Amino acid sequence: MKTAGRQIISFARYADDRGHEGTLSPDIALRWAKANATIADPFTWAKRLEVLRPFATFLAAEYGETTFPATNPFGRTKRRLAPHIFTIEEITAIIAEAHHIRRVQAAGTLMMPALVGLLAATGLRISEALSLQLRDLDLEAAQILVREAKYGRQRLVALHPTSVAALENFLDRRNAIFPSSPTDPVFLSELSGKMLTYMNA
């Protein structure tokens, strides 16, 4: 809010210094958006222009002749970071490191490597993986049922034969130590035996 206020004051000074008279116009708004921008690129100009939009809406309600660009001519105001695609070597190194995680942490040497491997092999969201129950793993059919997918939907995720083998090995070790009823979570805290979550991992 403070930043927006400073930007509006900056715009008012810019318009005044250039002798602008009358109501707000697209021309003066576009020129200000590009003037003295910290970074001279369309993304920065677009963000500066959008700061004025609520102010322009207010002025339009008060003064009917006020005009403002309906769409941003400079383009997007939100920049999505390019995702990092992990290589096989990087994934292998992460899983290997997970085998050495300190046992004082909830997601210890049993759970963490399996969790990381499943995420890498299936593309599951971390929330989806942590919500899995044992009944959701159908290794004979080589698939996983995700009950809490995006927008509350369910979906099936296919498993590669190597993933099936890795999960079978993991489940043999897991079920020998922890509860293994169909509705038990797949991933548990190795300290408390309770469901593994963001908070206790």
Side-chain angles (χ1 to χ4, degrees):
M1 187 65 72
K2 290 182 179 180
T3 300
R6 287 195 295 267
Q7 293 279 48
I8 291 173
I9 292 173
S10 169
F11 168 74
R13 288 173 177 165
Y14 177 87
D16 186 59
D17 289 345
R18 281 148 186 79
H20 178 76
E21 296 181 355
T23 57
L24 177 64
S25 67
D27 177 64
I28 190 67
L30 294 174
R31 283 192 286 131
W32 170 80
K34 297 180 69 172
N36 301 320
T38 305
I39 302 175
D41 68 358
F43 177 73
T44 302
W45 302 335
K47 292 193 70 173
R48 281 168 61 84
L49 186 64
E50 285 305 307
V51 169
L52 294 182
R53 190 171 296 280
F55 180 54
T57 301
F58 167 77
L59 291 178
E62 294 292 321
Y63 310 101
E65 296 180 359
T66 298
T67 56
F68 196 78
T71 58
N72 200 313
F74 299 126
R76 298 168 60 95
T77 59
K78 294 184 179 180
R79 180 179 290 160
R80 297 187 65 180
L81 297 177
H84 175 74
I85 307 300
F86 286 90
T87 65
I88 296 298
E89 291 75 17
E90 288 174 325
I91 294 171
T92 301
I94 292 172
I95 294 175
E97 188 64 28
H99 280 288
H100 302 292
I101 194 169
R102 295 171 60 196
R103 283 194 175 275
V104 295
Q105 293 182 245
T109 56
L110 174 61
M111 299 293 171
M112 186 59 81
L115 176 59
V116 173
L118 184 65
L119 293 174
T122 62
L124 290 179
R125 299 176 179 85
I126 182 64
S127 59
E128 294 173 339
L130 293 178
S131 298
L132 288 175
Q133 299 175 352
L134 291 175
R135 61 177 176 172
D136 300 330
L137 305 182
D138 187 346
L139 300 187
E140 289 188 5
Q143 64 185 22
I144 293 175
L145 172 62
V146 179
R147 298 177 185 275
E148 299 181 24
K150 196 172 184 180
Y151 305 121
R153 299 174 181 172
Q154 294 187 355
R155 64 189 176 97
L156 290 173
V157 177
L159 293 171
H160 189 272
T162 56
S163 299
V164 172
L167 282 171
E168 287 176 338
N169 179 59
F170 162 70
L171 290 175
D172 285 343
R173 297 169 60 205
R174 176 214 175 280
N175 295 345
I177 304 172
F178 298 103
S180 56
S181 66
T183 56
D184 281 325
V186 172
F187 297 105
L188 301 168
S189 164
E190 293 190 27
L191 296 180
S192 67
K194 296 180 180 179
M195 178 180 177
L196 196 63
T197 67
Y198 290 113
M199 299 301 294
N200 66 16

